[in-house]
Protein backbone atom coordinates (compact mmCIF):
# COMPACT_ATOMS: atom_id res chain seq x y z
CA UNK A 1 0.00 0.00 0.00
CA UNK A 2 1.67 3.19 -1.18
CA UNK A 3 -0.66 6.03 -0.22
CA UNK A 4 0.49 6.48 3.40
CA UNK A 5 1.77 9.54 5.28
CA UNK A 6 3.80 8.67 8.40
CA UNK A 7 4.20 10.86 11.46
CA UNK A 8 5.24 10.71 15.13
CA UNK A 9 2.09 10.82 17.35
CA UNK A 10 3.97 12.36 20.27
CA UNK A 11 5.08 15.33 18.16
CA UNK A 12 1.60 15.82 16.69
CA UNK A 13 0.16 15.81 20.19
CA UNK A 14 2.82 18.24 21.41
CA UNK A 15 1.80 20.86 18.83
CA UNK A 16 -1.90 20.04 18.72
CA UNK A 17 -1.82 18.77 15.13
CA UNK A 18 -4.58 16.50 13.80
CA UNK A 19 -4.64 14.15 10.84
CA UNK A 20 -5.95 16.03 7.77
CA UNK A 21 -8.99 14.67 5.96
CA UNK A 22 -8.58 16.66 2.72
CA UNK A 23 -5.64 17.89 0.66
CA UNK A 24 -6.55 21.48 1.57
CA UNK A 25 -6.41 20.57 5.27
CA UNK A 26 -3.02 18.92 4.68
CA UNK A 27 -1.70 22.13 3.11
CA UNK A 28 -3.14 24.19 5.97
CA UNK A 29 -1.44 21.82 8.40
CA UNK A 30 1.85 22.20 6.52
CA UNK A 31 1.53 26.00 6.71
CA UNK A 32 0.84 25.80 10.45
CA UNK A 33 3.90 23.62 10.94
CA UNK A 34 6.06 26.19 9.17
CA UNK A 35 4.55 28.96 11.31
CA UNK A 36 5.41 26.90 14.40
CA UNK A 37 9.02 26.61 13.31
CA UNK A 38 8.69 23.00 12.13
CA UNK A 39 9.44 21.48 8.73
CA UNK A 40 6.39 19.65 7.37
CA UNK A 41 7.92 17.10 5.02
CA UNK A 42 10.81 14.65 4.82
CA UNK A 43 11.38 13.51 1.23
CA UNK A 44 14.24 11.56 -0.32
CA UNK A 45 14.21 10.07 -3.81
CA UNK A 46 17.75 8.69 -4.20
CA UNK A 47 17.61 4.99 -5.12
CA UNK A 48 20.81 4.22 -7.07
CA UNK A 49 19.94 3.40 -10.70
CA UNK A 50 16.23 3.65 -9.83
CA UNK A 51 16.41 7.23 -8.52
CA UNK A 52 13.19 9.03 -9.33
CA UNK A 53 10.54 6.43 -8.58
CA UNK A 54 9.56 8.13 -5.32
CA UNK A 55 8.65 11.28 -7.25
CA UNK A 56 6.60 9.28 -9.77
CA UNK A 57 4.65 7.75 -6.88
CA UNK A 58 3.61 11.24 -5.80
CA UNK A 59 2.35 12.02 -9.32
CA UNK A 60 0.43 8.73 -9.45
CA UNK A 61 -1.27 9.37 -6.12
CA UNK A 62 -2.18 12.89 -7.20
CA UNK A 63 -3.50 11.75 -10.60
CA UNK A 64 -5.80 9.24 -8.90
CA UNK A 65 -7.12 11.89 -6.51
CA UNK A 66 -7.62 14.54 -9.16
CA UNK A 67 -8.92 12.61 -12.14
CA UNK A 68 -10.02 9.14 -11.02
CA UNK A 69 -9.45 5.66 -12.37
CA UNK A 70 -10.55 6.14 -15.98
CA UNK A 71 -8.10 8.96 -16.73
CA UNK A 72 -5.43 7.12 -14.73
CA UNK A 73 -5.92 4.01 -16.86
CA UNK A 74 -5.79 6.09 -20.04
CA UNK A 75 -2.61 7.78 -18.80
CA UNK A 76 -0.79 4.53 -18.04
CA UNK A 77 -1.83 3.17 -21.47
CA UNK A 78 -0.56 6.26 -23.36
CA UNK A 79 -4.09 7.28 -24.33
CA UNK A 80 -3.75 10.39 -22.14
CA UNK A 81 -0.33 11.98 -22.77
CA UNK A 82 1.94 13.43 -20.14
CA UNK A 83 1.70 16.72 -22.01
CA UNK A 84 -2.00 17.04 -21.20
CA UNK A 85 -3.99 19.43 -19.00
CA UNK A 86 -4.72 16.58 -16.58
CA UNK A 87 -1.06 15.74 -15.90
CA UNK A 88 -0.12 19.42 -15.90
CA UNK A 89 -2.69 20.01 -13.16
CA UNK A 90 -1.26 17.11 -11.16
CA UNK A 91 2.16 18.73 -11.42
CA UNK A 92 0.74 21.87 -9.78
CA UNK A 93 -0.11 19.84 -6.67
CA UNK A 94 3.29 18.15 -6.78
CA UNK A 95 4.98 21.57 -6.89
CA UNK A 96 2.90 22.69 -3.92
CA UNK A 97 4.65 20.12 -1.73
CA UNK A 98 8.10 19.88 -3.28
CA UNK A 99 8.86 23.55 -3.98
CA UNK A 100 7.04 25.61 -1.36
CA UNK A 101 9.65 27.36 0.76
CA UNK A 102 10.34 25.64 4.09
CA UNK A 103 8.03 22.71 3.29
CA UNK A 104 10.69 20.03 2.76
CA UNK A 105 13.70 19.38 4.97
CA UNK A 106 16.80 20.49 3.06
CA UNK A 107 14.81 21.54 -0.01
CA UNK A 108 15.33 20.09 -3.51
CA UNK A 109 19.10 19.41 -3.07
CA UNK A 110 18.39 17.20 -0.06
CA UNK A 111 15.45 15.54 -1.81
CA UNK A 112 17.76 14.44 -4.60
CA UNK A 113 20.66 13.19 -2.50
CA UNK A 114 18.79 11.48 0.37
CA UNK A 115 18.07 7.77 -0.07
CA UNK A 116 14.36 6.97 0.09
CA UNK A 117 14.94 4.54 2.95
CA UNK A 118 16.94 7.07 4.96
CA UNK A 119 14.47 9.93 4.57
CA UNK A 120 11.95 8.37 6.96
CA UNK A 121 14.53 8.74 9.74
CA UNK A 122 14.05 12.51 9.56
CA UNK A 123 10.67 12.29 11.30
CA UNK A 124 12.30 10.37 14.15
CA UNK A 125 15.21 12.82 14.36
CA UNK A 126 12.85 15.79 14.55
CA UNK A 127 13.93 17.22 11.20
CA UNK A 128 10.42 16.96 9.73
CA UNK A 129 6.87 16.10 10.77
CA UNK A 130 5.51 13.95 7.90
CA UNK A 131 6.81 11.42 5.39
CA UNK A 132 4.82 9.95 2.50
CA UNK A 133 5.99 6.42 1.81
CA UNK A 134 4.61 2.94 1.18
CA UNK A 135 3.81 0.46 3.93
CA UNK A 136 7.30 -1.02 3.58
CA UNK A 137 8.68 2.16 5.17
CA UNK A 138 8.34 0.35 8.48
CA UNK A 139 11.37 -1.71 7.47
CA UNK A 140 13.51 1.44 7.43
CA UNK A 141 12.40 2.66 10.85
CA UNK A 142 14.38 2.10 14.06
CA UNK A 143 14.26 -1.47 15.32
CA UNK A 144 11.38 -2.06 17.68
CA UNK A 145 9.23 0.78 16.33
CA UNK A 146 5.58 0.15 17.18
CA UNK A 147 2.89 1.43 14.84
CA UNK A 148 0.23 3.34 16.74
CA UNK A 149 2.61 4.24 19.54
CA UNK A 150 6.02 5.28 18.21
CA UNK A 151 4.79 6.09 14.73
CA UNK A 152 1.43 6.30 13.02
CA UNK A 153 0.05 7.13 9.59
CA UNK A 154 -2.90 8.49 7.68
CA UNK A 155 -3.92 7.85 4.08
CA UNK A 156 -2.93 10.64 1.69
CA UNK A 157 -6.25 12.52 1.62
CA UNK A 158 -8.65 13.35 -1.18
CA UNK A 159 -8.08 16.46 -3.26
CA UNK A 160 -11.70 16.91 -4.28
CA UNK A 161 -14.20 16.02 -1.56
CA UNK A 162 -16.86 14.41 -3.75
CA UNK A 163 -15.11 13.34 -6.95
CA UNK A 164 -13.48 10.94 -7.70
CA UNK A 165 -13.33 9.47 -4.16
CA UNK A 166 -10.52 8.12 -2.01
CA UNK A 167 -8.24 5.75 -3.93
CA UNK A 168 -5.46 3.39 -2.91
CA UNK A 169 -2.21 3.25 -4.86
CA UNK A 170 -0.77 -0.24 -4.65
CA UNK A 171 2.18 -2.23 -5.95
CA UNK A 172 3.28 -5.84 -5.73
CA UNK A 173 5.45 -8.68 -6.88
CA UNK A 174 4.47 -10.66 -9.96
CA UNK A 175 4.96 -14.39 -10.52
CA UNK A 176 5.66 -15.47 -14.10
CA UNK A 177 5.89 -19.01 -15.51
CA UNK A 178 8.44 -19.46 -18.26
CA UNK A 179 7.78 -23.17 -18.73
CA UNK A 180 4.50 -24.95 -19.39
CA UNK A 181 4.49 -28.15 -17.35
CA UNK A 182 2.32 -29.88 -14.70
CA UNK A 183 4.52 -28.72 -11.80
CA UNK A 184 4.16 -25.09 -12.81
CA UNK A 185 0.43 -25.48 -13.26
CA UNK A 186 0.11 -26.93 -9.78
CA UNK A 187 2.31 -24.17 -8.33
CA UNK A 188 0.29 -21.37 -9.92
CA UNK A 189 -2.97 -23.06 -9.02
CA UNK A 190 -1.77 -22.95 -5.42
CA UNK A 191 -1.07 -19.21 -5.71
CA UNK A 192 -4.57 -18.65 -7.11
CA UNK A 193 -6.07 -19.60 -3.75
CA UNK A 194 -6.23 -17.04 -0.91
CA UNK A 195 -4.98 -19.59 1.63
CA UNK A 196 -1.57 -19.74 -0.06
CA UNK A 197 -0.70 -16.36 1.47
CA UNK A 198 -1.40 -17.22 5.10
CA UNK A 199 2.19 -18.27 5.97
CA UNK A 200 3.49 -15.01 4.45
CA UNK A 201 0.89 -12.97 6.29
CA UNK A 202 2.01 -14.48 9.59
CA UNK A 203 5.58 -13.30 8.90
CA UNK A 204 4.50 -9.65 8.44
CA UNK A 205 5.24 -6.99 5.80
CA UNK A 206 2.98 -8.64 3.22
CA UNK A 207 -0.56 -8.04 1.94
CA UNK A 208 -2.75 -10.49 0.11
CA UNK A 209 -4.25 -9.44 -3.25
CA UNK A 210 -7.47 -11.35 -2.44
CA UNK A 211 -10.50 -9.48 -1.11
CA UNK A 212 -11.70 -12.58 0.77
CA UNK A 213 -8.36 -13.26 2.47
CA UNK A 214 -8.61 -14.30 6.13
CA UNK A 215 -7.38 -11.18 7.92
CA UNK A 216 -6.88 -13.20 11.12
CA UNK A 217 -3.76 -14.60 9.45
CA UNK A 218 -1.94 -11.25 9.52
CA UNK A 219 0.84 -10.80 12.03
CA UNK A 220 -0.55 -7.61 13.54
CA UNK A 221 -3.39 -5.09 13.46
CA UNK A 222 -1.26 -2.72 11.37
CA UNK A 223 -1.40 -5.20 8.47
CA UNK A 224 -5.12 -5.74 8.99
CA UNK A 225 -5.65 -1.98 8.81
CA UNK A 226 -3.62 -1.78 5.59
CA UNK A 227 -5.62 -4.58 4.01
CA UNK A 228 -8.90 -2.92 4.98
CA UNK A 229 -7.62 0.40 3.61
CA UNK A 230 -7.11 -1.24 0.21
CA UNK A 231 -10.37 -3.19 0.12
CA UNK A 232 -12.29 -0.24 1.58
CA UNK A 233 -10.95 2.31 -0.89
CA UNK A 234 -13.33 3.71 -3.49
CA UNK A 235 -10.95 2.24 -6.06
CA UNK A 236 -7.39 0.93 -6.21
CA UNK A 237 -4.84 1.08 -8.97
CA UNK A 238 -1.42 -0.48 -9.50
CA UNK A 239 1.69 1.71 -9.55
CA UNK A 240 1.46 3.70 -12.79
CA UNK A 241 5.12 3.75 -13.75
CA UNK A 242 5.27 -0.03 -13.26
CA UNK A 243 2.38 -0.35 -15.72
CA UNK A 244 4.20 1.63 -18.40
CA UNK A 245 6.87 0.26 -20.76
CA UNK A 246 10.32 0.20 -19.18
CA UNK A 247 11.62 2.98 -21.40
CA UNK A 248 8.96 5.25 -19.92
CA UNK A 249 8.07 4.07 -16.43
CA UNK A 250 11.57 3.08 -15.38
CA UNK A 251 13.29 5.44 -17.80
CA UNK A 252 12.15 8.86 -18.96
CA UNK A 253 9.54 9.31 -16.21
CA UNK A 254 12.15 8.76 -13.48
CA UNK A 255 14.84 10.80 -15.23
CA UNK A 256 12.67 13.78 -16.08
CA UNK A 257 11.28 13.96 -12.54
CA UNK A 258 14.85 14.08 -11.21
CA UNK A 259 15.71 16.86 -13.67
CA UNK A 260 12.51 18.70 -12.78
CA UNK A 261 13.30 18.65 -9.06
CA UNK A 262 16.89 19.69 -9.74
CA UNK A 263 15.63 22.70 -11.70
CA UNK A 264 13.14 23.45 -8.88
CA UNK A 265 10.15 23.34 -11.19
CA UNK A 266 11.58 24.89 -14.34
CA UNK A 267 11.03 23.39 -17.78
CA UNK A 268 7.87 21.44 -16.94
CA UNK A 269 6.44 21.50 -20.48
CA UNK A 270 9.67 20.19 -21.99
CA UNK A 271 10.00 17.50 -19.32
CA UNK A 272 6.49 16.18 -19.99
CA UNK A 273 7.08 16.23 -23.74
CA UNK A 274 10.32 14.30 -23.25
CA UNK A 275 8.46 11.58 -21.36
CA UNK A 276 5.86 11.34 -24.14
CA UNK A 277 8.64 11.02 -26.70
CA UNK A 278 10.06 8.00 -24.88
CA UNK A 279 6.98 5.82 -25.54
CA UNK A 280 7.95 2.98 -27.89
Amino acid sequence: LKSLVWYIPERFEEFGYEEPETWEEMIDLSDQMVADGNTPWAIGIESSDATGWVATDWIEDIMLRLHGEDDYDAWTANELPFDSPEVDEAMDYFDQIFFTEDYVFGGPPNILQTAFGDSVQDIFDGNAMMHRQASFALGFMPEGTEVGTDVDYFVLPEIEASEPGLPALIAGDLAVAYTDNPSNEEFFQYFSEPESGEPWAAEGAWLSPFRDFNTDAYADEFLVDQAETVTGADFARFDGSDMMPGAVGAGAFWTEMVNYIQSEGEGREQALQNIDAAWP
Side-chain angles (χ1 to χ4, degrees), residues 105-120:
F105 176 63
N110 196 58
I111 293 173
L112 293 169
Q113 68 186 12
T114 302
F116 75 93
D118 294 339
S119 59
V120 69

Side-chain angles (χ1 to χ4, degrees), residues 244-255:
M244 298 172 186
V248 182
F253 195 4
W254 288 355
T255 301

Side-chain angles (χ1 to χ4, degrees), residues 193-272:
E193 303 296 332
E195 293 76 12
S196 66
E198 291 185 6
W200 275 338
E203 293 295 320
W206 182 85
L207 291 174
S208 172
F210 294 96
R211 287 182 177 272
D212 58 348
F213 184 75
N214 176 20
T215 57
D216 291 338
Y218 285 119
D220 52 52
E221 288 302 312
F222 163 62
L223 290 169
V224 174
D225 184 66
Q226 284 187 60
E228 291 176 348
T229 297
V230 175
T231 58
D234 291 314
F235 55 94
R237 283 297 184 274
F238 204 84
D239 182 289
S241 60
D242 288 348
M243 297 285 285
M244 298 172 186
V248 182
F253 195 4
W254 288 355
T255 301
E256 292 300 332
M257 291 307 299
V258 170
N259 293 339
Y260 186 67
I261 295 169
Q262 190 168 26
S263 70
E264 300 190 21
E266 298 295 327
R268 179 195 297 184
E269 182 178 358
Q270 186 62 56
L272 296 178

Side-chain angles (χ1 to χ4, degrees), residues 138-206:
L138 189 61
F140 296 97
M141 295 178 189
E143 187 174 353
T145 297
E146 292 188 15
V147 179
T149 303
D150 304 314
V151 71
D152 211 338
Y153 64 86
F154 58 87
V155 178
L156 192 70
E158 297 176 68
I159 292 176
E160 302 294 341
S162 58
E163 184 71 27
L166 185 62
L169 181 65
I170 58 176
D173 295 317
L174 307 178
V176 180
Y178 288 95
T179 305
D180 184 10
N181 60 50
S183 294
N184 268 356
E185 288 184 19
E186 186 174 354
F187 184 67
F188 276 82
Q189 180 61 41
Y190 173 70
F191 269 125
S192 74
E193 303 296 332
E195 293 76 12
S196 66
E198 291 185 6
W200 275 338
E203 293 295 320
W206 182 85

